[in-house]
Amino acid sequence: MFLKQSREIRIYLLYLLPIFCFFSINLYFLAETIPQGKITHLALIQPNTKYAKREVQENQDWMTNTIQSVYDIGLETIRYSPKPIDLLVLPESSVPFLGTLNTNGPNSTYSQSFVDITQNLVKLSNAPLVFNELVWDGGSRNSLTLLQPISFTSERRYKQILLPFGEYLPGEKHFPWLRTVFPETSQHIPGNLTEAVKFQTKSGEMVTFSPLICYEILYPELVRKMIKHSPSEFILNLTNDSWFESQTETMQHAGAGRLRSIEQGRPVVRVAVTGLTTAYDLWGREMMGDLQTFQKAIGYLDLPLVSKERKTPYIQFGPSPWRILAVFLIFFVFFRSPRHILTNKMKNEIEI
């Protein structure tokens, strides 16, 4: 604008319009007053379980030590909790390969030891437990499971978006030899869109959350679809970044949770097996800091909830308006030539 002559500044109003819209929306969020809602006390467990290749599945000592280690840190979490726990949370792959769904057949992942430690943690805390398990239900499935106290009934949500070359092999039906190239790849099948998960707090209130497993948090339209289908009061993401052994990947993955909290207008709680375990409020601000990565850690969080009926512009309109604004800006940046500057440049080149 300063390089242009003053009479031509009006041309740039088209540039400023979408920027003004973005700022107006942000000012609305900053000025918005969120009514004080329920608060639930979460205990987040980061057991620092090492990533497990398939050969350790048959290693009795490794599996026994892993189960015992997860149980020990669970006991420590319960023992040192500053207040009664409303929800106890274990991350993805805290105990790999095993499940608590008792199905007959050679492909069953059922483990009585896994059942024992989950039920004992629920008994001692008198609180529901969220954990990740591998179950066989018409096929291998990556599951987020809620185990209720007293009744010890389980409620499961299966992962909907699977990781290519990690949880399934694209094209394996047509090219079976791919299995020899990628032997560590699992053969999971995806789940379907389901209702939000509910649990009861110590004060007797019902709380709902939207369950996400691992990198499902990277898909904003999936999260929007889940919340529109079954509104919730917060988002819970169980994940395992240990395979990457990278602080950079972990921070990028965690950063996606910050974006989802802003888009959906709900707190996001992220529980990772080796970190980063953290939480963001509905404006994307950290609520508890980050637990140190690649070490055992425990986080206690008083989580303020929002109304299930809360809707943000993203929930109402989706990504289309923002994409249109972005294309609008790109169009004017690349297809509006700054003729005054180009004319001066050509003149200077001729003079030289």
Side-chain angles (χ1 to χ4, degrees), residues 5 16 27 63-64 71 90 100 104 118 120 132 135 138 149 159 166 176 194 199 244 260 297 303 313 337:
Q5 296 179 7
L16 296 176
L27 287 173
M63 295 300 297
T64 301
Y71 183 57
L90 282 167
T100 63
N104 297 322
T118 53
N120 282 338
N132 171 250
V135 301
K159 188 175 182 180
T194 56
F199 67 93
F244 295 93
R260 300 297 86 80
L303 181 68
S337 61

Side-chain angles (χ1 to χ4, degrees), residues 51 92 159 163 213-218 237-258 270-278 280 290 293-294:
Y51 69 83
E92 184 186 23
K159 188 175 182 180
L163 179 67
I213 301 176
C214 198
Y215 88 132
E216 286 183 322
I217 196 74
L218 300 180
N237 179 214
L238 307 186
T239 188
N240 172 22
D241 293 334
S242 63
W243 286 90
F244 295 93
E245 296 185 327
S246 166
Q247 186 80 10
T248 301
E249 183 279 335
T250 299
M251 293 179 67
Q252 290 176 339
H253 194 181
R258 187 192 300 271
R270 181 182 197 267
V271 188
V273 71
T274 57
L276 296 166
T277 297
T278 188
Y280 304 105
D290 303 326
T293 55
F294 301 106

Side-chain angles (χ1 to χ4, degrees), residues 100-328:
T100 63
L101 181 62
N102 195 354
T103 53
N104 297 322
N107 295 313
S108 177
T109 60
Y110 178 78
S111 165
Q112 186 60 49
S113 298
F114 199 5
V115 172
D116 291 341
I117 70 163
T118 53
Q119 290 190 355
N120 282 338
L121 291 176
V122 169
K123 286 178 184 177
L124 293 171
S125 64
N126 191 29
L129 170 69
V130 171
F131 61 97
N132 171 250
E133 60 177 335
L134 185 64
V135 301
W136 186 268
D137 183 8
S140 178
R141 297 181 185 269
N142 191 352
S143 172
L144 180 148
T145 302
L146 176 73
L147 180 62
Q148 298 282 7
I150 304 176
S151 65
F152 294 105
T153 55
S154 295
E155 188 175 354
R156 294 179 175 87
R157 297 292 184 268
Y158 298 140
K159 188 175 182 180
Q160 299 176 54
I161 299 180
L162 301 179
L163 179 67
F165 301 99
E167 294 176 312
Y168 78 100
L169 265 181
E172 183 180 12
K173 290 183 179 179
H174 303 288
F175 306 102
W177 52 267
L178 285 172
R179 179 61 54 179
T180 61
V181 182
F182 303 97
E184 288 294 328
T185 303
S186 300
Q187 294 176 293
H188 299 338
I189 58 176
N192 300 316
L193 188 64
T194 56
E195 303 297 315
V197 183
K198 297 181 181 180
F199 67 93
Q200 190 173 26
T201 66
K202 288 292 192 297
S203 59
E205 297 174 310
M206 295 302 298
V207 174
T208 59
F209 66 86
S210 298
L212 296 173
I213 301 176
C214 198
Y215 88 132
E216 286 183 322
I217 196 74
L218 300 180
Y219 291 85
E221 292 182 59
L222 168 68
V223 184
R224 174 176 178 258
K225 182 170 67 173
M226 292 175 67
I227 291 176
K228 288 194 72 175
H229 174 74
S230 181
S232 63
E233 293 163 288
F234 74 99
I235 298 166
L236 180 61
N237 179 214
L238 307 186
T239 188
N240 172 22
D241 293 334
S242 63
W243 286 90
F244 295 93
E245 296 185 327
S246 166
Q247 186 80 10
T248 301
E249 183 279 335
T250 299
M251 293 179 67
Q252 290 176 339
H253 194 181
R258 187 192 300 271
L259 297 177
R260 300 297 86 80
S261 67
I262 297 170
E263 292 165 353
Q264 311 302 330
R266 282 158 174 76
V268 170
V269 179
R270 181 182 197 267
V271 188
V273 71
T274 57
L276 296 166
T277 297
T278 188
Y280 304 105
D281 69 7
L282 64 165
W283 288 288
R285 301 175 301 191
E286 290 188 13
M287 288 189 284
M288 56 175 284
D290 303 326
L291 299 186
Q292 292 297 314
T293 55
F294 301 106
Q295 67 179 34
K296 292 185 179 182
I298 301 168
Y300 298 105
L301 174 65
D302 285 326
L303 181 68
L305 305 173
V306 299
S307 169
K308 292 191 294 184
E309 285 69 38
R310 173 175 165 76
K311 291 184 179 180
T312 62
Y314 186 86
I315 292 177
Q316 291 177 303
F317 306 113
S320 298
W322 328 118
R323 290 172 180 172
I324 292 171
L325 286 174
V327 172
F328 182 83

Side-chain angles (χ1 to χ4, degrees), residues 30-49:
L30 290 173
E32 184 185 19
T33 301
I34 307 298
Q36 181 65 41
K38 298 176 287 188
I39 294 179
T40 184
H41 183 64
L42 308 185
L44 315 179
I45 304 174
Q46 183 178 296
N48 197 35
T49 305

